[in-house]
Amino acid sequence: MRLLYPCDPFNSKLPDEEYREEFDAAIASGLACSLFSLEDFQGGEFKPRPKFDEAEVVAYRGWMLDIDDYSRLSAAMIDAGAKPLVNAVEYQRCHHLPGWYQVCVEWTPETVFVDQDINFTIELAKLNWPAYFVKDYVKSLTTSRGSIAKNAEEVTELVALIKQYRGKIEGGICIRRFESLQPDTEERYFVLRGTPYGRDGTVPDLVRRIAAAVDSPFFSVDTVLSADGHLRLIELGDGQVSDRKLWPAENFARMLAQSGI
């Protein structure tokens, strides 16, 4: 099993600064690691260093990729003689909210999926929720404006801002029913080959149930406490492109090593 990290754009022998601590921890844990130039890959060239062993399983750990780019990376791994830990279908399943919503609907806010160009006044009249959380299939707005809307005009404003700051709408628009949540209670877990892991070694029952429900070899689970104290699922993500958040690099590398990755 091998981990594939993006290299520093100016020094192909070093991992990208964002992943350097994790790369070093992975090496210290005895994990095989390779580097590649993300810029060269986007230009049509893929040269992992060291090269992959024949039929070796490879997990990408790097910057978020859209579905087309990940499909190309997965194909490039195969062409280089490896087997991606996560195939393109599995990547989309956890990277796009509609891919996991139905199997997790009982644990997460009610959501509808719409095209960015619909009439939001008509759509919101069908829902009549007190407030709405707006994002595209992958991410919400991370500026100080936040992602909460109270009416169609504010939803339209948020969609325009997502497009402005992210450059595009990925997939479509998710309109989620607003729920009151306790601040500073968000926690990230990882599920690797069906086994859930927490940064401090503990895993709540909800995360175990999600791990059993979602068909993907490596994904992240974000939970938060509701205002009335119930644990809620806020987001799933592909584990390869999910940052560690509060996970120490050593704990993350230990999880990968213990799982046999």
Side-chain angles (χ1 to χ4, degrees), residues 66-210:
D66 65 22
I67 302 303
D68 290 340
D69 279 347
Y70 186 78
S71 295
R72 291 198 304 111
L73 180 61
S74 176
M77 291 183 193
I78 294 170
D79 289 343
K83 178 182 177 182
L85 173 66
V86 179
N87 65 39
V89 172
E90 292 163 338
Y91 181 82
Q92 183 168 359
R93 183 173 295 141
C94 291
H95 188 56
H96 280 184
L97 201 157
W100 56 264
Y101 177 72
Q102 287 301 325
V103 297
C104 297
V105 66
E106 64 181 296
W107 307 307
T108 199
E110 187 176 354
T111 306
V112 295
F113 307 103
V114 298
D115 185 81
Q116 60 180 297
D117 297 321
I118 69 157
N119 185 315
F120 289 110
T121 300
I122 294 174
E123 189 63 37
L124 266 57
K126 302 175 188 175
L127 302 175
N128 195 30
W129 295 338
Y132 311 87
F133 185 92
V134 182
K135 63 190 293 292
D136 71 9
Y137 282 9
V138 178
K139 295 192 73 175
S140 57
L141 192 68
T142 55
T143 67
S144 58
R145 162 63 178 83
S147 299
I148 307 301
K150 296 180 180 178
N151 51 50
E153 290 75 21
E154 291 186 3
V155 171
T156 302
E157 174 196 359
L158 280 170
V159 170
L161 287 172
I162 293 171
K163 192 182 302 184
Q164 174 186 338
Y165 286 106
R166 296 193 61 214
K168 66 176 181 178
I169 299 295
E170 186 166 348
I173 297 299
C174 307
I175 301 177
R176 313 200 77 190
R177 184 169 190 155
F178 174 77
E179 295 184 5
S180 294
L181 305 172
Q182 295 184 30
D184 304 319
T185 61
E186 185 173 335
E187 186 67 51
R188 171 157 290 177
Y189 301 88
F190 286 92
V191 178
L192 184 53
R193 290 174 165 163
T195 300
Y197 297 88
R199 63 186 172 92
D200 61 357
T202 62
V203 177
D205 181 65
L206 174 62
V207 177
R208 296 186 187 280
R209 294 169 70 189
I210 293 167

